[in-house]
């Protein structure tokens, strides 16, 4: 997600040769800090050149493993880090002064950086030696990924304080990695992806300048410290043009808006993860060629080449990849970098009329969209509007997929297939359910053994500076050193800042049934249903914030004439049951993409029974085939996965369930 270690803050031009390619990473972390450390050291021994740390959902959303909200989520989509002891284990044998570490963390980014600094200080490593990146882009969490905690303005303040602190004390660290990746996953067009991410960067830089925490002579270095993390999709010519447009616009904006005269400081520095939205559960072996083509989209163009690349694994549409799957993705990068000649030449698209025209069109469109966002008050003020636009864009994409206008091999065309030798029951990583119990015992033992008085004083100081506007980083680091936990840090700030529920964007995208024969047919049917249209509850239990699928189901339900109740992400089983009872719903649809379905679905069913709700329950998400039968045995009426993309057919089945329920 950031440049090579000696290129932090764009201090030197990049010379890409076969002996010195982009930084190679695999995004990884699971189960426990100790298990993840073993994985990191293995990957580094195989040729990976930097760390990219994935944290579990409780860590991302500010909960300790023993919090009720963390039930079923511990260690599932990343590594749990609840205290300094976990950071020690995570980086054991990996010298912090020599490693370039990327941490994909947002709402709790200040806390994880605090733990990272505390661990380095214990080893006598000065903060000035630390290199790496914290993603720290909360806007895209509101818009697409969902791991936010606090309202927009307090969240922006956390980012500003980190930027200012790093400017003075950790100058080689990239404090913010503006992430357009998830915007594309949520349906953003290239124009929207460029405009919304640039708007986020400008909003934060404006706030840093207005805070007065950074002297004027150091502000160009702050501009240079902002890096980006983008998505490379399958339309690889368009993706090349998108990166050229990004580069051109960022150079112009940093010169005109901030007066940065050094071209190196205006360089658009970005890392990339190639598109996961395009990875398919059907015929997943096709994902390998997709990954290769998408990687080419951000490496062939020397003038706008990625500084860091991480590739997903072929089976990520099925579940968590195994170490072997991650190795395969790393080897793809190594073959491109060391066996091919794509790094030996000047820019291959220089002078291309097609590329120049497409880039110019994207620059013009993105600038207009950016101007519109700035006129709305900037990215932090325009969240509800931007969310609605993204859900609408994603709805249009889903309609094109269902109609066949957008072709995806193995999904809606060329679906005939021979048996694959890659398909087996163990083709994804399974996290031992005992990990959660282990981590609960761990965090409780940690609390028992620390100096509780020191932690209490550190928490009081954190609350004080949160209230009076002082930079939050020194108090955060002090709490980490005293032995505070993730949940305690986040909880103290919840007391001061409050919590936030982001807009769903569903209302902006509804009423498009006229574009889909299947939805229109269901709408005609349900309007004549005795008792009126079905009441369909769409709910996301647990901490999983990937709401794109749930939003599209909610939009399709409304377009199919149903009365849809959708209240966004992170509902408890108790809340879901209460809504189902109070709204007298006919069908309940749960969306779970974090792998926690075997823990959360039984909890929801238990609460539904307690509330005397007998509406049929359906479950959708990333669900391994072997778990389907288990869910059906529990009493689930239907299980849907990404291959069930025909929304008209799916809504017809929901209508069948509603009709049968009313018939009882």
């Amino acid at each position: 997600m950031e440049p090579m270690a000696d290129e932090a803050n764009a201090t030197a031009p990049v010379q890409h040769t076969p002996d010195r390619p982009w930084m190679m990473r695999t995004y990884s972390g699971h189960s426990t800090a100790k298990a993840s450390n073993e994985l990191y050291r293995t990957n580094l021994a195989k040729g990976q050149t930097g760390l990219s740390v994935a944290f579990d959902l409780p860590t991302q959303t500010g909960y300790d493993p023993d919090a009720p909200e963390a039930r079923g989520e511990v260690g599932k989509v990343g590594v749990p880090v609840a205290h300094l002891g976990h950071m020690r284990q995570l980086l054991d044998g990996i010298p912090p002064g020599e490693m370039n570490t990327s941490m994909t963390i947002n709402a709790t980014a200040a806390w994880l950086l605090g733990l990272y600094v505390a661990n380095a200080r214990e080893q006598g490593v000065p903060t000035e030696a630390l290199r790496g990146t914290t993603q720290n882009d909360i806007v895209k969490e509101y818009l697409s990924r969902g791991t936010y905690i606090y309202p927009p303005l307090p969240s922006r303040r956390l980012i500003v304080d980190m930027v200012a602190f790093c400017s003075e004390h950790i100058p080689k660290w990239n404090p913010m990695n503006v992430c357009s990746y998830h915007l594309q996953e949520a349906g953003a067009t290239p124009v929207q992806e460029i405009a919304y991410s640039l708007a986020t960067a400008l909003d934060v830089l404006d706030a840093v300048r207005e805070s007065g925490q950074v002297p004027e002579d150091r502000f160009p270095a702050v501009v240079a410290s902002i890096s980006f993390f983008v998505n490379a999709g399958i339309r690889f010519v368009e993706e090349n043009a998108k990166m050229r447009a990004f580069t051109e616009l960022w150079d112009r904006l940093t010169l005109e808006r901030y007066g940065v005269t050094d071209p190196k400081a205006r360089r658009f520095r970005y890392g990339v993860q190639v598109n996961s939205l395009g990875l398919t559960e059907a015929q997943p072996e096709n994902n390998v060629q997709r990954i290769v083509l998408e990687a080419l989209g951000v490496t062939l163009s020397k003038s706008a080449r990625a500084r860091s690349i991480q590739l997903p694994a072929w089976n990520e549409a099925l579940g968590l990849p195994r170490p072997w799957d991650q190795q395969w993705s790393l080897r793809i990068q190594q073959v491109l970098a060391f066996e091919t000649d794509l790094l030996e030449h000047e820019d291959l698209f220089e002078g291309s009329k097609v590329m120049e025209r497409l880039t110019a069109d994207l620059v013009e469109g993105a600038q207009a969209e950016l101007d519109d966002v700035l006129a709305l008050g900037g990215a932090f003020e325009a969240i509800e509007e931007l969310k609605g636009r993204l859900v609408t864009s994603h709805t249009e994409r889903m309609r094109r997929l269902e109609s066949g206008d957008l072709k995806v091999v193995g999904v809606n065309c060329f679906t005939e297939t021979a048996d694959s030798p890659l398909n087996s029951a163990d083709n994804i990583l399974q996290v031992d359910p005992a990990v959660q119990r282990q981590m609960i015992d761990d965090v409780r033992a940690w609390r028992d053994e620390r100096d509780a008085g020191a932690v209490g004083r550190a928490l009081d100081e954190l609350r004080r500076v949160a209230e009076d506007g002082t930079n939050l980083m020194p108090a955060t680091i002090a709490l980490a050193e005293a032995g505070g936990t993730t949940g305690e840090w986040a909880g103290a700030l919840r007391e001061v800042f409050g919590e936030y529920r982001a807009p769903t964007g569903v209302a902006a995208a509804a009423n498009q049934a006229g574009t889909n024969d299947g939805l229109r047919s269901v709408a005609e049917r349900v309007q004549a249903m005795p008792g009126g249209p079905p009441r369909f509850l769409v709910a996301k239990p647990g901490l999983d914030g990937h709401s794109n699928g749930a939003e599209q189901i909610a939009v399709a339900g409304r377009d199919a004439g149903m009365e849809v109740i959708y209240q966004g992400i992170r509902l408890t089983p108790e809340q879901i049951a209460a809504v189902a009872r109070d709204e007298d719903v006919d069908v309940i649809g749960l969306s779970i993409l974090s792998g926690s379905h075997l823990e959360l679905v039984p909890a929801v069913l238990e609460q539904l029974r307690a509330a005397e709700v007998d509406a049929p329950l359906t479950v959708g998400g990333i669900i391994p085939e072997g778990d389907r039968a288990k869910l059906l045995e529990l009493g689930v009426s239907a299980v849907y996965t990404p291959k069930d993309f025909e929304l008209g057919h799916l809504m017809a089945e929901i209508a069948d369930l509603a009709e049968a329920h009313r018939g009882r």
Side-chain angles (χ1 to χ4, degrees):
M1 292 185 186
E2 64 284 321
M4 299 286 284
D6 56 353
E7 294 162 11
N9 298 330
T11 56
V14 182
Q15 299 297 324
H16 290 287
T17 70
D19 297 322
R20 187 170 182 237
W22 55 84
M23 179 167 287
M24 300 183 186
R25 306 183 190 277
T26 53
Y27 176 56
S28 54
H30 65 87
S31 303
T32 66
K34 186 176 184 296
S36 296
N37 173 261
E38 294 171 359
L39 176 62
Y40 296 159
R41 294 171 73 168
T42 298
N43 286 346
L44 290 169
K46 292 176 180 176
Q48 184 172 302
T49 54
L51 291 184
S52 181
V53 182
F55 297 97
D56 74 350
L57 289 172
T59 304
Q60 293 183 52
T61 52
Y63 294 107
D64 289 334
D66 60 343
E69 295 85 353
R71 175 174 50 187
E73 307 282 17
V74 178
K76 285 287 176 64
V77 299
V79 57
V81 176
H83 51 68
L84 181 56
H86 291 157
M87 188 62 76
R88 293 173 187 146
Q89 294 173 354
L90 189 70
L91 300 176
D92 183 38
I94 303 173
E98 300 175 20
M99 180 51 57
N100 193 318
T101 303
S102 170
M103 295 191 285
T104 302
I105 197 72
N106 296 281
T108 56
W111 173 245
L112 270 299
L113 180 59
L115 290 173
Y116 196 86
V117 168
N119 176 66
R121 284 179 174 175
E122 283 187 342
Q123 300 178 51
V125 177
T127 58
E128 290 76 12
L130 301 180
R131 292 181 170 90
T133 296
T134 34
Q135 189 169 93
N136 211 13
D137 177 359
I138 204 68
V139 170
K140 65 95 170 135
E141 296 300 320
Y142 298 136
L143 296 179
S144 56
R145 190 164 170 267
T147 65
Y148 52 81
I149 303 174
Y150 313 111
L153 295 185
S155 293
R156 187 176 66 184
R157 178 197 162 182
L158 275 167
I159 300 170
V160 168
D161 284 359
M162 282 185 65
V163 172
F165 184 85
C166 290
S167 171
E168 183 173 357
H169 300 288
I170 323 178
K172 297 175 183 176
W173 195 270
N174 300 306
M176 184 185 189
N177 192 234
V178 183
C179 183
S180 73
Y181 175 85
H182 293 95
L183 300 182
Q184 187 179 127
E185 299 278 285
T189 65
V191 162
Q192 291 172 327
E193 185 181 347
I194 296 168
Y196 299 169
S197 52
L198 291 180
T200 299
L202 297 183
D203 209 329
V204 169
L205 286 171
D206 287 352
V208 170
R209 186 167 57 182
E210 292 166 6
S211 76
Q213 295 189 65
V214 177
E216 186 176 343
D217 63 343
R218 212 163 61 221
F219 193 73
V222 168
V223 175
S225 75
I226 303 299
S227 58
F228 292 77
F229 187 61
V230 306
N231 199 327
I234 196 66
R235 292 171 58 82
F236 114 99
V237 176
E238 187 174 62
E239 292 298 315
N240 266 283
K242 182 185 76 179
M243 298 322 306
R244 287 168 170 264
F246 254 132
T247 300
E248 181 178 328
L249 280 167
W250 184 245
D251 182 78
R252 180 201 303 171
L253 289 165
T254 52
L255 176 63
E256 296 176 354
R257 194 178 186 92
Y258 303 117
V260 179
T261 56
D262 182 357
K264 295 176 183 177
R266 300 199 306 267
R267 182 180 296 132
F268 185 80
R269 298 179 307 107
Y270 76 98
V272 65
Q273 161 108 2
V274 307
N275 185 281
S276 294
L277 176 66
L279 301 185
T280 63
E281 177 189 15
Q283 299 181 25
E285 61 274 10
N286 293 335
N287 294 331
V288 177
Q289 53 264 36
R290 292 184 179 112
I291 290 168
V292 173
L293 285 168
E294 290 164 352
L296 287 173
V298 290
T299 54
L300 287 181
S301 185
K302 184 176 180 180
S303 66
R305 180 173 291 150
R307 274 29 178 192
S308 169
I309 298 176
Q310 59 188 47
L311 303 181
W314 70 279
N315 55 353
E316 285 195 23
L318 308 178
L320 290 175
R322 301 157 299 182
W324 186 87
D325 306 311
Q326 294 184 353
Q327 174 184 291
W328 193 356
S329 290
L330 178 62
R331 295 293 185 249
I332 290 172
Q333 294 193 59
Q334 290 168 329
V335 169
L336 289 176
F338 297 107
E339 293 190 29
T340 75
D341 60 352
L342 69 88
L343 299 181
E344 297 175 9
H345 305 285
E346 293 304 310
D347 199 304
L348 301 180
F349 292 107
E350 190 72 35
S352 165
K353 293 181 180 179
V354 171
M355 188 60 67
E356 289 177 356
R357 184 179 66 252
L358 184 53
T359 301
D361 289 345
L362 288 175
V363 167
E364 181 181 1
Q367 183 66 65
E369 187 80 2
L370 174 60
D371 290 342
D372 187 42
V373 176
L374 296 178
L376 292 169
F380 283 81
E381 294 288 348
I383 287 165
E384 185 167 0
E385 172 64 24
L386 302 188
K387 178 66 175 179
R389 293 182 187 183
L390 289 180
V391 174
T392 299
S393 293
H394 196 37
T395 300
E396 292 170 357
R397 179 187 182 277
M398 293 301 297
R399 298 292 192 265
R400 292 178 59 229
L401 178 66
E402 188 168 5
S403 69
D405 291 340
L406 174 64
K407 296 190 183 302
V408 179
V409 173
V411 174
N412 64 356
C413 62
F414 307 109
T415 54
E416 303 80 6
T417 182
D419 291 337
S420 170
L422 293 174
N423 289 337
S424 67
D426 62 348
N427 64 3
I428 56 172
L429 176 68
Q430 301 287 346
V431 175
D432 189 341
V435 164
Q436 177 154 313
R437 183 71 254 171
Q438 177 186 342
M439 296 308 300
I440 289 173
D441 293 342
D442 171 285
V443 75
R444 290 176 177 172
W446 175 268
R447 294 194 197 108
D448 289 342
E449 295 169 5
R450 68 190 182 179
D451 183 341
V455 173
R457 290 188 293 274
L459 284 168
D460 288 341
E461 175 64 8
L462 179 65
R463 293 186 192 96
R464 184 191 70 77
V465 300
E467 290 171 349
D468 71 13
T470 304
N471 191 294
L472 285 156
M473 283 307 301
T476 293
I477 296 169
L479 177 61
E481 293 174 330
T485 67
T486 298
E488 290 168 335
W489 177 87
L493 295 185
R494 279 183 169 97
E495 294 174 23
V496 179
F497 297 151
E499 291 193 69
Y500 182 69
R501 289 197 68 78
T504 68
V506 168
N511 302 317
Q512 298 189 28
T515 65
N516 185 295
D517 290 341
L519 293 178
R520 186 168 56 251
S521 174
V522 176
E524 293 170 355
R525 171 187 166 193
V526 301
Q527 292 304 314
M529 190 177 290
R535 288 177 291 281
F536 180 28
L537 171 61
V538 179
K540 287 192 66 63
L543 298 178
D544 168 32
H546 287 84
S547 59
N548 302 332
E551 289 156 3
Q552 292 307 310
I553 293 298
V555 170
R558 288 190 180 179
D559 287 354
M562 300 182 192
E563 181 183 334
V564 176
I565 301 101
Y566 176 60
Q567 299 175 336
I569 63 174
R570 282 194 241 158
L571 297 179
T572 65
E574 293 81 1
Q575 289 171 325
I576 293 170
V579 173
R581 179 197 61 216
D582 295 344
E583 296 288 346
D584 190 23
V585 300
D586 296 295
V587 182
I588 303 165
L590 302 184
S591 170
I592 305 172
L593 286 84
S594 64
S596 300
H597 43 276
L598 293 181
E599 292 86 3
L600 292 174
V601 171
V604 171
L605 285 168
E606 180 182 355
Q607 292 300 319
L608 290 173
R609 285 192 292 269
E612 298 183 345
V613 174
D614 64 353
L617 181 73
T618 66
V619 180
I622 305 299
I623 298 172
E625 189 60 32
D627 289 348
R628 180 186 295 269
K630 298 175 184 177
L631 292 174
L632 295 176
E633 288 172 7
L634 288 170
V636 171
S637 296
V639 176
Y640 300 103
T641 65
K643 69 175 181 292
D644 299 303
F645 66 92
E646 295 180 349
L647 295 176
H649 178 71
L650 192 152
M651 287 302 122
E653 293 189 354
I654 297 297
D656 290 342
L657 289 172
E659 199 165 39
H661 173 250
R662 289 187 177 180
R664 290 201 299 272

